[in-house]
Amino acid sequence: MTVTLNHTIVPAADNGRAARFLADVMGLECLPPTGMRGHFVPVRVNGSLTLDYMTVEEPHPVHLAFDVDPATFDGVLARLRERSVPYGSRPDAPDNGRTDHPLCPRGLFFSDDNGHLYEVMSPG
């Protein structure tokens, strides 16, 4: 059997708000709350992976990186711009407004209000 990551927990001050933010920006599906007492709000990344946002008192920032095709990248970039969410080409400059990523032809970083650093990389 191949090893496949099924889900990972993403800490957040407000799990619903954080999940909806990522789902909206990335064009992903935010699923109904799950778990005992509905304390997880999953975002479907693909057919086998969800990011399960969980409310915690003091969320510690994580870095999540996504490989996307050029059309998906264009959609993410457009949604970031529509929402006036700062983005940038480097992790130490996630607000420089550039997409000239050091590891791929086009890429960007953006953050949410929990301090999570999201990275989106495209081959073109």
Side-chain angles (χ1 to χ4, degrees), residues 2-106:
T2 302
V3 176
T4 303
L5 182 63
N6 176 273
H7 71 276
T8 191
I9 306 299
V10 182
D14 179 330
N15 61 356
R17 180 177 170 183
R20 284 188 301 278
F21 171 78
L22 182 69
D24 288 349
V25 167
M26 295 293 294
L28 300 171
E29 181 183 10
C30 189
L31 302 172
T34 62
M36 295 179 67
R37 300 175 307 284
H39 61 279
F40 296 118
V41 178
V43 174
R44 168 80 46 215
V45 175
N46 58 41
S48 63
L49 176 64
T50 60
L51 299 177
D52 293 4
Y53 285 81
M54 181 175 80
T55 298
V56 299
E57 245 181 73
E58 294 183 33
H60 294 281
V62 298
H63 173 140
L64 298 167
F66 303 90
D67 287 324
V68 300
D69 60 57
T72 300
F73 184 88
D74 291 340
V76 170
L77 182 57
R79 288 185 291 274
L80 288 169
R81 288 176 173 162
E82 286 169 8
R83 290 164 177 78
S84 299
V85 175
Y87 64 88
S89 59
R90 299 179 1 186
D92 61 346
D95 59 355
N96 67 13
R98 296 171 34 186
T99 61
D100 55 326
H101 194 282
L103 301 177
C104 60
R106 289 195 312 158

Side-chain angles (χ1 to χ4, degrees), residues 105-119:
R106 289 195 312 158
L108 58 83
F109 294 85
F110 66 96
S111 297
D112 68 10
D113 58 4
N114 295 287
H116 299 318
L117 183 65
Y118 299 102
E119 182 176 9

